[in-house]
């Protein structure tokens, strides 16, 4: 190939551009024609990556067990982890669930469409593979107009987990999906970067006092205002109170070390390994970390300290740090309210446990 005659720097730039071009070719814009094509692909049993306001999802017909099985295969996801079923509007809820508890009805009316998944008793027709054999199903109506159009055009309900390989960070752009699952999906619709940026809040509505299964894009405070008390399953959050005493374990990507709020300002530079980067919540924190001179790079989640912006940027920033090849990523918890809870939860899940 002619490209072999180029000097190595030029050659890597050309190869990089070709790869990038290849990924962009995989993406389809959100024209009505493409959304109709995506809808009929789902109706025919194919798997399609779709944008939602939270993260990109990998969708299949929720009533077609074989199509749903392809999602698990594409993601390498264990089948004991149930999927969320997405509906185009609340009126389709009855096709999926057997019973809508009164508190769930209140939430549906006030907060749908939006980043809120409600777990309710499932209808018999929902295949076991969707719910991992449970007799409940998580349902959500996304607020992203592209997602809703695709579901509407598919004429069915769409089972969709986040469109990432199992265990990795959820995608918040179509390009993230193309890079990691491009060769495993039938179609990717580009609906722009996700505005919420963390996955939906998941609430189990089958108990008198509903249970928070995952904090997410819908603040728990808004839910409590509408239906009162929520219960939390027992979960121990262990983070590093101070640097040091880190047990090493295998991780394919950067180790994320999560600290209590304010702890990074007091970090001992001698404890920070080479090739380390840090996540700063806002510009003042980034400035303090720069002064400490401990890190090769500081990534800022929201220069002005806006929690919504920080959530929207979180996953993309973690990917950028990973792609830049940092071996360790330092982060600290943000104030634990509103979307801050979802951010802390995702940081904790991504982190190396002490
Ligand atoms: O924002 C979101 O929720 C994104 C977009 C694509 O909608 N989806 C998403 O899906 O994050 P996934 O599969 O990555 O996470 C679904 C979560 C899992 O933690 C799963 O265990 C829980 O929802 N879940 C689903 N159905 C459930 C059920 N019947 N009972 C308990 N948990 C359930
Ligand atoms: Mg996921």
């Amino acid at each position: 190939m002619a490209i072999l005659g180029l000097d190595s720097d030029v050659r890597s730039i050309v190869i990089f551009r070709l790869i990038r071009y290849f990924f962009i070719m995989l993406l389809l814009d959100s024209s009505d024609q493409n959304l109709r094509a995506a809808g009929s692909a789902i109706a025919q049993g194919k798997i399609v990556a779709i944008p939602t306001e939270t993260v990109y999802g990998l969708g299949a017909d929720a009533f077609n067990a074989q199509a749903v099985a392809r999602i698990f295969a594409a993601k390498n996801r264990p089948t004991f982890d149930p999927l969320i079923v997405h509906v185009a509007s609340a009126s389709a809820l009855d096709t999926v669930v057997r019973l809508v508890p009164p508190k769930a009805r209140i939430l549906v009316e006030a907060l749908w469409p939006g980043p809120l998944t409600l777990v309710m008793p499932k209808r018999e027709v929902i295949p076991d593979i969707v719910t991992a054999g449970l007799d409940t199903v998580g349902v959500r109506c996304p607020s992203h107009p592209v997602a809703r159009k695709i579901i509407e055009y598919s004429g069915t309900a769409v089972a969709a987990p986040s469109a990432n390989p199992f265990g990795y960070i959820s995608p918040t752009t179509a390009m993230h999906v193309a890079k990691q699952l491009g060769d495993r999906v039938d179609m990717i619709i580009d609906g722009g970067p996700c505005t919420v940026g963390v996955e939906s809040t998941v609430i189990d509505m089958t108990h008198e006092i509903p249970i928070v299964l995952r904090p997410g894009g819908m603040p728990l405070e808004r839910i409590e205002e509408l239906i009162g008390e929520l219960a939390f399953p027992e979960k121990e959050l262990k983070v590093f109170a101070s640097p040091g005493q880190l047990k090493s374990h295998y991780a394919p990507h950067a180790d994320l070390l999560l600290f209590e709020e304010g702890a990074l300002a007091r970090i001992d530079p001698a404890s920070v390994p080479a090739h380390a980067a840090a996540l700063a919540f806002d510009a003042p924190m980034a400035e303090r970390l720069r002064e400490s001179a401990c890190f090769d790079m500081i990534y800022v989640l929201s220069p002005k300290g806006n929690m919504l912006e920080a959530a929207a940027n979180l996953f993309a920033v973690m990917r950028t740090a990973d792609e830049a090849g940092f071996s360790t990523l330092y982060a600290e918890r943000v104030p634990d309210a509103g979307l801050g809870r979802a951010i802390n939860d995702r940081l904790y899940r991504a982190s190396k446990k002490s």
Side-chain angles (χ1 to χ4, degrees):
M1 266 185 4
I3 189 174
L4 294 175
L6 299 171
D7 89 47
S8 70
D9 280 358
V10 178
R11 192 162 61 218
S12 21
I13 292 171
V14 171
I15 291 174
F16 178 77
R17 294 238 165 110
L18 281 174
I19 292 174
R20 204 181 146 76
Y21 183 69
F22 170 74
F23 283 133
I24 290 172
M25 295 255 300
L26 288 174
L27 310 181
L28 295 176
D29 68 37
S30 52
S31 67
D32 195 59
Q33 195 187 358
N34 286 343
L35 304 193
R36 283 179 191 276
S40 50
I42 290 173
Q44 288 160 23
K46 301 213 159 105
I47 57 175
V48 179
I50 61 178
T52 85
E53 72 280 19
T54 56
V55 299
Y56 275 70
L58 185 53
D61 179 354
F63 300 96
N64 179 339
Q66 272 186 28
V68 173
R70 293 190 54 215
I71 296 180
F72 283 91
K75 277 185 61 105
N76 258 331
R77 178 176 170 125
T79 47
F80 55 75
D81 199 4
L83 304 185
I84 293 171
V85 173
H86 298 70
V87 291
S89 73
S91 60
L93 194 52
D94 293 337
T95 62
V96 181
V97 307
R98 189 155 39 85
L99 178 151
V100 181
K103 286 181 180 172
R105 181 64 67 193
I106 294 172
L107 295 180
V108 164
E109 274 162 23
L111 303 177
W112 274 13
L116 175 65
T117 296
L118 301 173
V119 171
M120 294 180 272
K122 84 169 180 93
R123 270 195 188 282
E124 208 52 41
V125 284
I126 300 289
D128 277 346
I129 188 166
V130 172
T131 61
L134 298 171
D135 61 2
T136 56
V137 59
V139 195
R140 134 172 152 85
C141 176
S143 66
H144 199 306
V146 170
R148 286 221 305 285
K149 272 269 175 251
I150 294 172
I151 302 167
E152 194 187 313
Y153 288 148
S154 75
T156 181
V158 175
S162 50
N164 51 283
F166 182 70
Y168 195 62
I169 309 163
S170 296
T172 51
T173 67
M175 189 62 119
H176 293 162
V177 182
K179 280 184 182 167
Q180 292 192 306
L181 296 178
D183 56 342
R184 297 178 175 207
V185 304
D186 295 309
M187 203 184 270
I188 301 173
I189 298 290
D190 188 351
C194 301
T195 52
V196 174
V198 287
E199 301 88 340
S200 61
T201 300
V202 182
I203 312 278
D204 181 351
M205 302 304 299
T206 63
H207 300 263
E208 187 39 41
I209 298 178
I211 300 173
V212 178
L213 298 180
R214 178 174 76 182
M218 181 62 71
L220 297 178
E221 293 85 341
R222 290 201 62 193
I223 298 171
E224 283 166 333
E225 270 167 25
L226 291 158
I227 58 165
E229 197 188 347
L230 294 173
F232 293 82
E234 289 297 309
K235 193 167 77 176
E236 205 191 342
L237 283 187
K238 272 204 218 148
V239 299
F240 296 115
S242 65
Q245 6 102 28
L246 313 177
K247 280 186 211 123
S248 76
H249 81 161
Y250 174 75
H253 303 284
D255 283 334
L256 190 145
L257 306 186
L258 180 60
F259 292 86
E260 288 300 348
E261 211 183 323
L264 288 189
R266 304 186 301 270
I267 203 158
D268 171 8
S271 70
V272 179
H275 309 298
L279 296 188
F281 177 58
D282 56 12
M285 177 176 168
E287 199 41 49
R288 282 196 298 278
L289 294 181
R290 247 172 237 122
E291 279 163 15
S292 76
C294 291
F295 305 105
D296 295 342
M297 176 70 100
I298 317 279
Y299 295 100
V300 191
L301 292 177
S302 166
K304 290 197 174 134
N306 177 313
M307 201 61 95
L308 299 183
E309 187 185 28
N313 286 334
L314 179 67
F315 290 153
V317 164
M318 291 206 278
R319 273 171 193 268
T320 308
D322 237 7
E323 284 170 6
F326 289 108
S327 54
T328 319
L329 194 54
Y330 282 71
E332 62 180 44
R333 285 160 61 85
V334 300
D336 212 30
L339 280 194
R341 289 200 221 210
I343 294 178
N344 286 336
D345 176 79
R346 301 312 183 268
L347 285 172
Y348 178 70
R349 288 172 194 242
S351 71
K352 201 170 144 175
K353 314 298 181 285
S354 57

